Amino acid sequence: MISLLAIILSVLIIHICGGGLMVESLFASSFILNLSALHQSVNNHKQQRVNRLPLTICSLCLIFSIAFFFLPLFNTNQNNASYYYQAQNLLTEGSVMGFFDLPDFSFRNTLHFINSLSILILIINLIPLIYLTANLERKHKLYLAYVVVIMGIFNILAVLYQQQIRDTAGYIWWFWDSRTGKSFASFVNPNHFGAYCAALLSIPTCQFLTKSQKKEYKYLAVLASLSIALIIGIMLSGSMGAYLLGMISLTCSYLFCSKQKSSSPTKTFFILMVVIAFSILTPLELEGELNERGINDDVRKDLFATVPKVIQDFPLGIGPGSYGSISPSYTGAINKTNHFHHSENTYFNIIQEFGIIFFILLIILNGFYLQQVFENLHKKKISKNLAAFSTVAIIIFICHASYDYGLHIPIYAFHIAIFYGLMLCKGSIYTKEKYSKAQLFTSKVIIIFPLFFVLLSAMIWLKFNKELKHGTSINHTISSNANQISENITYAPVVWHQWFFLGLKILEKDQDDFLRMDFSEKCFRTAAHYSPTNQDCWYMLFAMRDQLGRTKEAQDAYLFYFKLLNSRERSQHKSEAMDILQLTENEFERIKFLEHTPMDYETYNIRRI
């Protein structure tokens, strides 16, 4: 019962605190879940319950592969090291000139240490969450499923309020600023909210179908109402992908819960009516969604085409949560108005951030997981109904992962962990005939990890709570001084706006000082490298080079800036462009329609440096 209460309390905290947007909520849930896991593992050890050796060993390997990113920087990790050492050289130069204090250089194997810490804290939550869910009694697992659905209903009611009564202007639960100008109850992204509702839809739908087969009509009306409410939630998301996931959820629920000899008219009518509704409404939203997101199939294909290049440059991974910082220098040619925070595909995002080794281990772990699930079903350790809706939910998340990335969102990841845990169960009691001493020993080892995670969470909070609260947002960088920005760069050397605003801060005291202009030019050059489609970076780079008398280099920077302008802006800047680039009328007409390309002369030189 303690485990059930700990899970419910943790999920509730994440829901209330902006879906995990408040980093404090992740630390609170980490303490709750890991202390409960410690209690559960001690009880299991006293009962001499053995763990599944393949699952345990593979999970430990995954944990160690994640730990690699937080170890001191390996020189053999060449591409990551080159970014840090370039930053170290430039920051050392600035501190020698007296522009700011020399920061403490303690580099890691991730290109965005603070974001990686956020992902680490999330993982520290997910591991005990799966463990606790797996150890629940069968009836407690059903209680948890219903509680999750009820929380989903409250989210849907909140979205209805936001859309029909009062727009919260991007504030989640009217308190937490999402910084995006939009929110869907505990979610920011409507696509994630829709996928979440589609996954939860499997619970009341499977229960409805199972009870109708058994002719248990007592709760059918309640289950049907819950299903309809979740369908409304999918509709409210306005996401075509969510509509399709809803259809998949209903279809799979029907297939898993129906018997071949049974042809219940109630089931057939229920499924057909909903599928027809989805089929009618889906086309109405298709065009609007594609236009709004600006990510059509061609853009998605071009984005996926950059994956091999990133993997080739960073075979060990760029680090958890680092993709959004490194992506502009790889995806600039795809869409100069979009900044890709993730690669629009969970599998591609994982292999780029965590590396090839982690990805292979993850596939192996899922293989062992499926083997264990089949064994649990064969031995009837979990009910078919529980397995049915959990399987459908996981299928929904797998399908959603093929065209989006949501694992970095705590509320989304928490529900994936819950459904994974529902299909596992407690280990068997140790007997000499069945199990080896090594399997019994692993139950002792498991006790160490929850305790270690509690201490690790406390240490991270005490040392990095300010950085984790503010992150590396532009607003925070603007309000920081040169010392603070230079310190933040040592954690994330690839964040373009930190270099950009460092250059501006250096110029604030004396804009005519040659040394300050020269150093700022290097900062703007670095910013342009990390965000080659940002107009401000290129214009400031041009301005610095122009003041330093580097005419040819200034023209190169301005030409790149000019190509990032739209047709209207190019016409407005005609006289300026002709003067700076020293063009005739005919020459201007020739460059007027030049397009931005990813490996222009300027970018190529920056990459070489």
Side-chain angles (χ1 to χ4, degrees), residues 38-76:
L38 178 62
H39 175 265
Q40 182 65 55
S41 61
V42 169
N43 286 342
N44 286 348
H45 177 61
K46 288 179 180 178
Q47 296 170 12
Q48 288 198 315
R49 291 190 178 273
V50 295
N51 298 307
R52 279 71 177 179
L53 207 55
L55 279 174
T56 303
I57 293 174
C58 200
S59 298
L60 292 176
C61 290
L62 274 177
I63 293 171
F64 291 138
S65 68
I66 294 169
F68 158 77
F69 294 105
F70 302 93
L71 296 174
L73 182 64
F74 294 170
N75 288 330
T76 51

Side-chain angles (χ1 to χ4, degrees), residues 175-225:
F175 294 106
W176 322 120
D177 187 3
S178 67
R179 299 175 186 171
T180 62
K182 61 181 180 180
S183 65
F184 281 74
S186 296
F187 291 81
V188 175
N189 192 318
N191 302 306
H192 298 151
F193 172 73
Y196 159 79
C197 290
L200 295 189
L201 178 60
S202 63
I203 298 174
T205 302
C206 286
Q207 290 287 79
F208 178 91
L209 295 171
T210 301
K211 290 188 179 297
S212 66
Q213 284 180 356
K214 294 179 179 179
K215 297 183 179 180
E216 298 175 2
Y217 302 120
K218 187 176 180 181
Y219 297 107
L220 286 186
V222 175
L223 293 169
S225 299

